[in-house]
Structures are given as structure tokens and as C-alpha cells.
């Protein structure tokens, strides 16, 4: 077979070029520490590398979520711990205020302290996280958790019941926040009368006139009361009342039943005062209403507010106000106990979630290490093999240059 000079030159250029490319690729591998520089180097390994890098990135996100959750939960734990300390002091003040040896000036001093603690509680319950969102407002992070309502003269919860769930593992989600509705709004105050059935609007207002009598009726299981309004004659409406046992109830003022009423009248049965609204306008019609008892829900801010108001405004020289004060102290102690129990439950839940974060973080760390080791086996360079290969390729390239230098000088004319 005839080999032309052009073929010799072309083949040697191709061989030198290939040797150069191999040497340059090995030099890049050594410089980067990576065995696979592009998918064409090892298609199967490249596919595994892409998959493993996604796992590493996903696990990094889980670890970041754990850090965010831990900061929020630890901040919540600090706030709840401080609130618990305030509850303890409020209980001490309530017990101290019940003493008969205190003067009016002493009670004023205690009221001032309670007012300052109320401000502290408001600040803690409006705590913001590092992102500047209110910690206890549920999903309404931009909305202040508690605000003072000028109309009701009480503190009002402004958030919602949302709990922010965050992914900390492939199959593990955890609540990184708690709503103030769950933490603070489940304190049951004294039972209050409430309209439970009033289809015709016969009752427009209900309140407590005699707390002691009302509580006795509640304890005896006589509520709800049923109110029946009947027009006995044109413009004359009669009211009859029965309790839950089916027994008739007389008005508290001793007026014989049935009672003749008109719209706007206020009548009192079983310590409960109701205001008359709509009345039947025909003898054949009967309007009914039912009034039962339900615990009034409140929060620690309003418990403290009512305590300070009682300490500052009630005159214990008046027998009626003295009885109100005793009831206030008893109710306050009961509600503070509920607040303390709720606080303990919340901190127990926080501790469990913080432990879960620690455990998941350990699992994620182990998984990340395993994933990176696997990724390294596909992607990272074996330096011993690469350096040896680099030396060999360098030798091959030098030999190619030297041999080509000899071959290119071969010609028959050199012998003529």
C-alpha cells in the first residue's frame, strides 16, 4: 500500500492533536479535582451526579428550615417563660390583695404594678421573629397579635389560628409557630348567661344581676331557662319562664307570675336580667327564647386588666363592692391557674418539637455525609492515577513530537 507524504503529515498531526487533548483534559481534571468534567466524559456517571447534587441541595434546604424553626421555637420558649414568670407574680399579687390588712393606698400600689406587668405581657405576646413577623399571629404575620379595643375597653386577639408548618425532612413536617388563639385565648372565665335560642328576637339583652343566685342556678343544673311570650289581650303580653327541669320560675323581685311585659322592659329571673325585644302581635302567636350559661373566654391581658381595675376602683367599705372584690380575686386566681397550665402545656410541646429538630438534624447530617461520599465516588478524581496518567501522556506527546521530526525529513532525494 502506497503511503503518501500528505498522509504521513496528516496522521502525525492527528496523533499529536489527540495526545495534546488527552494531556490537556488530564491537566483540567487535576486542576479541578473532578473526574467528570462534562457529560460526554461518562454519561452514566453524569446522570448519577446530577441526581446526587439535587439530593445534596434538598438536604441543605431541610437543614436551613431546621435552623429557621429552631430560632422561632426558642424565641417562643423565651417569651412563654417570661409570661409564666408574670403569671406567678400576678398570682402572688392576687393572694396578697385578698388580705384584709391592706389599705386602699396599698391596693393602688398593687394596681400600678399590675398595670406595668400588663404592658410587659402585651409586649411579649406581640413578639416578632427575626423576619419581623408577629410570632403569635398565625398566618397573619404582618398583623399585631393583640391590640386594645377602645370600644370594648379590652384587649383583642387580631390574628388567626394558623400554625406555620415547615419541611425538615423528606417525610417530616413540624409546626414552627403557635397561634395566640391556641396559647392565650382558651382561659375560661366565670360563666355568663347567653341566649341560645331566640328565633323571633324576643330577647335583645342578657346580663347578670345577682351573681350568687345565677351561680346557684347553674350549679343546680337548672339552665337553660325557657321564656314564653303570649299576647293575652290586645297590647297585653304575658311572660312565663320555666327552667331546664320543667319547673316554673318566679321573677326575682317576687312579682307573681305570669308577668305582664312590654317591649323594652327589663326583667330578672334566676339572677339573670333580660331586655324584652319583639313581642307577639296576635293572640294566636307565641314567641319563645332560651337563655343558658356558657363560660366566658378571655386572655391573660384582660385577666390582669380586670384585676387592676378592681384594685383601683372597688371600695371595700361598701359591702356589695367588697363581695364583688372577693369574687374578682377568686375568679382571677382560677384564670391565672388556667393560664399557667396552658403555658406549661405549650412549653412541653415546644420541648418535644425542639427534640424532634435535633433528631432530624442528626438524620439529615448522616444522610448528607452518605450522599456526598457517593457523589465523590462518581465525580472526584483519583489523584494518584491522574498524576501517573499525566506523566505517561506527557511522555507520549514528547515521543510523538520527536518521531515526527525524524519522519518529516525522510525523502528519496536525500540519497541522490
Amino acid at each position: 500500500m502506497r503511503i503518501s507524504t500528505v498522509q504521513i503529515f496528516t496522521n502525525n498531526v492527528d496523533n499529536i492533536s489527540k495526545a495534546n487533548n488527552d494531556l490537556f483534559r488530564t491537566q483540567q481534571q487535576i486542576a479541578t479535582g473532578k473526574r467528570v468534567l462534562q457529560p460526554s466524559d461518562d454519561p452514566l456517571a453524569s446522570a448519577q451526579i446530577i441526581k446526587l447534587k439535587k439530593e445534596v441541595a434538598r438536604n441543605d434546604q431541610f437543614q436551613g428550615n431546621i435552623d429557621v424553626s429552631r430560632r422561632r421555637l426558642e424565641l417562643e420558649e423565651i417569651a412563654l417563660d417570661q409570661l409564666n414568670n408574670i403569671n406567678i407574680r400576678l398570682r402572688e399579687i392576687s393572694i396578697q390583695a385578698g388580705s384584709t390588712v391592706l389599705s386602699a393606698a396599698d391596693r393602688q400600689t398593687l394596681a400600678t404594678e399590675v398595670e406595668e406587668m400588663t404592658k410587659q405581657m402585651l409586649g411579649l405576646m406581640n413578639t416578632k421573629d427575626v423576619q419581623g413577623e408577629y410570632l403569635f399571629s398565625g398566618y397573619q404575620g404582618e398583623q399585631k397579635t393583640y391590640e386594645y379595643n377602645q370600644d370594648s375597653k379590652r384587649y383583642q386577639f387580631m390574628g388567626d389560628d394558623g400554625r406555620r408548618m415547615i419541611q425538615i425532612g423528606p417525610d417530616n413536617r413540624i409546626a414552627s409557630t403557635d397561634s395566640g388563639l391556641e396559647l392565650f385565648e382558651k382561659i375560661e372565665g366565670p360563666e355568663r348567661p347567653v341566649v341560645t335560642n331566640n328565633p323571633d328576637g324576643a330577647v335583645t339583652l342578657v346580663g347578670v344581676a345577682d351573681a350568687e343566685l345565677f351561680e346557684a342556678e347553674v350549679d343546680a343544673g337548672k339552665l337553660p331557662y325557657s321564656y314564653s311570650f303570649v299576647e293575652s289581650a290586645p297590647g297585653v303580653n304575658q311572660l312565663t319562664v320555666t327552667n331546664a327541669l320543667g319547673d316554673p320560675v318566679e321573677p326575682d323581685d317576687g312579682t307573681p307570675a305570669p308577668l305582664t311585659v312590654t317591649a323594652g322592659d327589663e326583667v330578672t329571673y334566676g339572677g339573670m336580667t333580660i331586655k324584652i325585644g319583639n313581642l307577639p302581635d296576635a293572640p294566636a302567636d307565641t314567641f319563645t327564647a332560651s337563655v343558658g350559661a356558657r363560660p366566658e373566654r378571655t386572655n391573660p391581658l384582660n385577666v390582669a386588666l380586670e384585676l387592676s381595675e378592681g384594685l383601683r376602683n372597688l371600695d371595700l367599705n361598701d359591702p356589695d363592692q367588697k363581695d364583688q372584690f372577693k369574687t374578682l380575686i377568686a375568679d382571677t386566681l382560677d384564670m391565672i391557674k388556667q393560664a399557667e397550665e396552658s403555658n406549661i402545656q405549650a412549653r412541653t410541646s415546644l420541648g418535644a418539637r425542639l427534640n424532634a429538630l435535633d433528631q432530624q438534624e442528626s438524620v439529615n447530617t448522616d444522610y448528607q455525609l452518605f450522599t456526598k461520599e457517593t457523589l465523590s465516588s462518581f465525580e472526584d478524581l483519583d489523584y494518584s492515577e491522574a498524576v501517573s496518567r499525566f506523566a505517561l501522556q506527557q511522555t507520549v506527546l514528547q515521543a510523538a513530537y520527536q518521531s515526527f521530526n525524524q519522519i518529516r525529513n525522510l525523502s528519496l532525494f536525500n540519497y541522490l
Side-chain angles (χ1 to χ4, degrees):
M1 181 180 68
R2 179 177 177 273
I3 299 176
S4 67
T5 300
V6 173
Q7 285 180 292
I8 293 174
F9 271 80
T10 301
N11 288 338
N12 275 279
V13 168
D14 289 343
N15 289 335
I16 290 173
S17 178
K18 182 178 181 303
N20 263 312
N21 287 335
D22 291 343
L23 185 64
F24 177 70
R25 180 174 175 275
T26 301
Q27 189 274 331
Q28 282 187 307
Q29 289 177 326
I30 293 174
T32 60
K34 304 298 181 183
R35 182 179 67 87
V36 179
L37 300 176
Q38 52 190 7
S40 60
D41 292 342
D42 190 336
L44 294 178
S46 295
Q48 291 298 316
I49 288 169
I50 293 172
K51 179 181 177 180
L52 291 169
K53 283 184 175 180
K54 287 182 178 180
E55 285 296 306
V56 170
R58 186 174 72 146
N59 202 64
D60 285 339
Q61 183 61 59
F62 291 152
Q63 296 294 75
N65 290 347
I66 288 174
D67 292 337
V68 171
S69 299
R70 182 179 285 112
R71 286 196 299 269
R72 284 177 175 171
L73 295 179
E74 287 177 348
L75 181 60
E76 181 178 336
E77 187 175 37
I78 291 171
L80 291 178
D81 185 62
Q82 293 298 318
L83 286 169
N84 187 61
N85 292 335
I86 293 175
N87 286 332
I88 292 172
R89 179 55 186 155
L90 283 175
R91 175 159 46 83
E92 293 173 351
I93 290 176
S94 300
I95 295 172
Q96 184 180 357
S99 173
T100 57
V101 301
L102 293 183
S103 65
D106 294 332
R107 289 191 294 276
Q108 294 292 323
T109 301
L110 291 178
T112 300
E113 183 178 355
V114 173
E115 289 165 0
E116 290 302 318
M117 286 192 293
T118 305
K119 294 177 183 178
Q120 294 176 27
M121 292 172 65
L122 180 63
L124 290 168
M125 292 161 74
N126 283 331
T127 297
K128 290 184 177 182
D129 61 19
V130 295
Q131 281 82 26
E133 296 185 343
Y134 289 97
L135 192 62
F136 300 116
S137 291
Y139 296 136
Q140 309 296 321
E142 301 298 325
Q143 174 64 54
K144 186 178 291 187
T145 308
Y146 280 92
E147 290 184 348
Y148 185 76
N149 189 313
Q150 294 292 344
D151 295 329
S152 65
K153 305 300 181 183
R154 290 294 179 265
Y155 289 98
Q156 183 177 349
F157 177 70
M158 306 301 295
D160 59 31
D161 62 351
R163 302 178 77 197
R164 300 192 183 189
M165 307 298 292
I166 194 166
Q167 193 89 18
I168 60 172
D171 301 304
N172 194 356
R173 290 163 57 85
I174 197 168
S176 64
T177 61
D178 291 300
S179 170
L181 191 65
E182 181 71 23
L183 295 175
F184 310 125
E185 290 292 315
K186 291 194 172 182
I187 297 176
E188 291 189 353
E191 289 190 292
R192 293 286 185 266
V194 59
V195 178
T196 57
N197 187 20
N198 189 27
D200 302 305
V203 173
T204 60
L205 182 68
V206 62
V208 176
D210 187 332
E212 187 174 343
L213 177 57
F214 171 69
E215 290 174 6
E217 293 293 281
V218 171
D219 294 340
K222 295 182 180 180
L223 267 67
Y225 277 10
S226 296
Y227 298 79
S228 179
F229 302 86
V230 179
E231 185 181 52
S232 58
V236 179
N237 291 277
Q238 292 185 328
L239 167 63
T240 57
V241 181
T242 57
N243 61 29
L245 304 178
D247 300 325
V249 182
E250 300 288 335
D252 289 355
D253 61 4
T255 304
L259 196 64
T260 300
V261 296
T262 58
D265 287 350
E266 291 187 2
V267 295
T268 304
Y269 290 80
M272 297 180 292
T273 297
I274 67 167
K275 187 173 183 178
I276 309 301
N278 295 329
L279 291 172
D281 56 5
D285 294 338
T286 300
F287 286 0
T288 61
S290 298
V291 175
R294 184 180 301 161
E296 186 180 39
R297 292 293 177 90
T298 187
N299 58 64
L301 288 168
N302 289 331
V303 172
L305 182 61
E306 291 173 6
L307 176 61
S308 64
E309 289 175 348
L311 287 168
R312 193 173 292 283
N313 300 323
L314 290 178
D315 181 5
L316 301 194
N317 293 320
D318 183 319
D320 291 338
Q321 294 192 37
K322 186 174 182 180
D323 289 340
Q324 292 180 35
F325 186 74
K326 289 181 180 179
T327 301
L328 172 64
I329 295 300
D331 291 342
T332 299
L333 287 171
D334 178 64
M335 290 184 284
I336 289 174
K337 181 180 179 182
Q338 294 180 52
E340 290 175 339
E341 290 175 351
S342 177
N343 190 287
I344 291 172
Q345 292 175 1
R347 286 188 291 161
T348 300
S349 174
L350 286 176
R353 278 178 278 167
L354 286 169
N355 287 337
L357 289 178
D358 292 339
Q359 294 172 5
Q360 187 64 50
E361 185 176 39
S362 177
V363 171
N364 290 349
T365 299
D366 291 342
Y367 180 76
Q368 189 81 318
L369 178 61
F370 171 77
T371 304
K372 287 183 176 181
E373 287 178 350
T374 306
L375 176 62
S376 177
S377 68
F378 285 104
E379 184 182 43
D380 290 344
L381 182 67
D382 181 351
Y383 272 95
S384 299
E385 184 273 334
V387 170
S388 299
R389 176 160 38 90
F390 182 79
L392 175 61
Q393 290 170 340
Q394 196 174 27
T395 301
V396 169
L397 181 60
Q398 290 174 348
Y401 278 126
Q402 292 175 358
S403 61
F404 178 64
N405 187 51
Q406 297 294 323
I407 292 174
R408 70 181 179 85
N409 290 324
L410 294 178
S411 171
L412 291 175
F413 293 102
N414 293 335
Y415 297 96
L416 296 178

